[in-house]
Amino acid sequence: MNSPRSLGRAKSTALARSMLSRRNLLRAAGVTGAGLTLGAAVPPSSSLAAQAGQARSGKQRYDALLRTSKETALWGWFPTSRPSVLTVKSGTVVKIDAINQSGVSDARGPVAYFEALGVPAGQVLPELEEIHTIPRTPGSSGHVLTGPLYIEEAQPGDVLEIRILDVSPRVPYGVNSTGPGRGVLSNLLSEPSTRLLTLDKRNRYYQFAPGIRVPFKPFMGITGVAPPTEAGFVSANPPDRWGGNLDVRDLTAGSTLFLPVFQPGAQFYTGDSHGAQGHGEIDQTAIEHSMSLTAQFIVRKGAGLEYPRAELRDHIVPMGIDADLDVALQIAATQAIGCLREITKGALSVADAYALCSVGVDFVIAEAVDGNKVVAAYIPKSLLP
């Protein structure tokens, strides 16, 4: 395994700023992600929507099942030499029974933690107690990851396409917790605050308070691949070019995530599943809720991509990531300009694409509280030819 050496904010920001020199800006704004043009690497939205609809009706099939256990889980970091917990070929549909870390690191143990919140012991996933005993690697985050999943054909320079077919609850409840020193208003609270939120019987919403319902919109907070070796020890807390703790709330069933590949096999990890979240996740947590992810993993050979990108039903979403929010926004804007030029096969000049971003693209703070910030550029498909 890699020795614990952190990729800190300064190094991350310096790398990002070097990429934002005028020469690199023009290169990135010219073409990014060759081979990922709309309609080439991305299936029709209606096709993904149909598959997601099958999943919601319980008809979604999968080729392989990966369960989270003491053997397949690790505390939050991204090793590049961890043995595969499952190896598949490109195109395989995998169901991953993931967990959320809530209560797993509690000194009382997860059963006692949830019992104190009113959850019967029989409704606590049994693997949580097992994972509670896994030693923490120094520098790792408090997330529990499942992986790595190796995709045989993937090599550095490729792109891993992750078609999200289903995200479904493994238990009927989730937790939101915050307190002093947490979130964007770190001095707001003087005492910890933890609330249990339970789904209605038809999995439509959480009853937050009398008259207040939060729609159930499940997604995986962490979806990432192994980082480049030179990054050293990489905690799962800050998102980065390899994905990780993106917390992009719209990566729900029917969406597709594209990640650049840095290591053989891509080495995919997931965890930190959520039942609902607002953009930014400002109190540090979403509704932390254990989920199963069903996704198809496809290798796009030599496609090339600098930062994560997503396709939703109505939007293409390039991303920018950095510890400095201004730099993250600049990266997202550059990626969006390049994406627009790519989709239009160069019909839009750099100036044209820059202007279109200003008048028709929403730049959203998707993640604000985990070290690096994520700015997601929502390009409406209705703008595109």
Side-chain angles (χ1 to χ4, degrees):
M1 288 188 176
N2 295 333
S3 58
R5 179 170 59 87
S6 177
L7 180 65
R9 284 191 178 193
K11 183 175 179 180
S12 176
T13 300
L15 175 63
R17 285 179 172 159
S18 71
M19 296 174 68
L20 289 173
S21 67
R22 177 172 170 78
R23 177 180 296 177
N24 286 331
L25 265 175
L26 291 173
R27 178 182 62 80
V31 175
T32 61
L36 286 177
T37 51
L38 185 66
V42 181
S45 297
S46 57
S47 173
L48 276 182
Q51 293 178 69
Q54 290 177 346
R56 285 191 291 270
S57 66
K59 297 179 181 179
Q60 177 61 52
R61 296 184 179 181
Y62 53 88
D63 304 309
L65 174 64
L66 175 57
R67 292 189 171 92
T68 300
S69 67
K70 192 173 183 178
E71 288 70 38
T72 64
L74 73 161
W75 287 104
W77 70 293
F78 295 110
T80 60
S81 57
R82 178 174 162 89
S84 166
V85 298
L86 179 66
T87 299
V88 299
K89 293 184 178 297
S90 176
T92 302
V93 175
V94 181
K95 180 180 181 182
I96 303 173
D97 283 342
I99 68 163
N100 185 277
Q101 61 278 351
S102 290
V104 180
S105 62
D106 191 274
R108 299 166 293 177
V111 171
Y113 171 87
F114 281 110
E115 283 185 323
L117 294 175
V119 178
Q123 289 188 18
V124 179
L125 293 172
E127 59 263 40
L128 299 191
E129 285 285 351
E130 181 183 355
I131 293 165
H132 174 71
T133 67
I134 297 176
R136 292 276 292 272
T137 301
S140 62
S141 72
H143 304 97
V144 175
L145 307 184
T146 304
L149 170 69
Y150 276 60
I151 299 87
E152 289 183 355
E153 296 86 344
Q155 293 295 327
D158 295 337
V159 168
L160 181 63
E161 176 182 343
I162 304 151
R163 299 184 183 182
I164 300 169
L165 304 179
D166 184 42
V167 185
S168 57
R170 301 189 62 203
V171 291
Y173 56 85
V175 173
N176 178 266
S177 60
T178 187
R182 304 188 68 186
V184 300
L185 300 174
S186 57
N187 297 323
L188 178 67
L189 301 179
S190 58
E191 298 290 338
S193 172
T194 301
R195 65 183 70 227
L196 184 78
L197 295 157
T198 303
L199 282 170
D200 75 298
K201 292 182 179 179
R202 295 174 60 187
N203 292 351
R204 297 168 299 170
Y205 60 83
Y206 300 92
Q207 191 75 48
F208 184 86
I212 301 177
R213 293 176 174 179
V214 178
F216 181 54
K217 193 176 179 182
F219 72 100
M220 304 304 293
I222 292 180
T223 42
V225 296
T229 304
E230 61 269 21
F233 182 91
V234 175
S235 164
N237 200 51
D240 215 304
R241 293 180 296 140
W242 42 88
N245 196 15
L246 293 171
D247 280 335
V248 175
R249 73 170 196 179
D250 292 321
L251 287 173
T252 55
S255 65
T256 300
L257 176 64
F258 300 92
L259 296 174
V261 174
F262 300 97
Q263 298 288 347
Q267 302 178 38
F268 176 82
Y269 295 87
T270 193
D272 190 32
S273 47
H274 298 157
Q277 181 198 290
H279 289 303
E281 196 190 30
I282 69 164
D283 85 346
Q284 196 76 50
T285 63
I287 298 181
E288 308 292 320
H289 192 148
S290 292
M291 302 283 171
S292 292
L293 166 70
T294 304
Q296 185 178 27
F297 296 86
I298 299 171
V299 175
R300 297 296 179 184
K301 299 299 295 181
L305 196 62
E306 290 181 320
Y307 282 84
R309 183 186 296 182
E311 190 199 7
L312 314 178
R313 184 183 66 178
D314 297 320
H315 294 84
I316 305 296
V317 186
M319 302 176 201
I321 305 170
D322 193 76
D324 186 312
L325 183 59
D326 287 339
V327 174
L329 174 58
Q330 291 167 353
I331 294 170
T334 304
Q335 296 296 306
I337 290 168
C339 183
L340 286 168
R341 284 179 46 76
E342 172 192 321
I343 289 169
T344 60
K345 296 181 169 52
L348 292 179
S349 69
V350 171
D352 291 336
Y354 192 21
L356 185 57
C357 283
S358 189
V359 302
V361 176
D362 290 320
F363 289 82
V364 174
I365 302 174
E367 169 55 68
V369 293
D370 289 318
N372 286 344
K373 315 299 191 294
V374 179
V375 175
Y378 280 67
I379 303 173
K381 291 182 182 177
S382 59
L383 290 178
L384 305 175

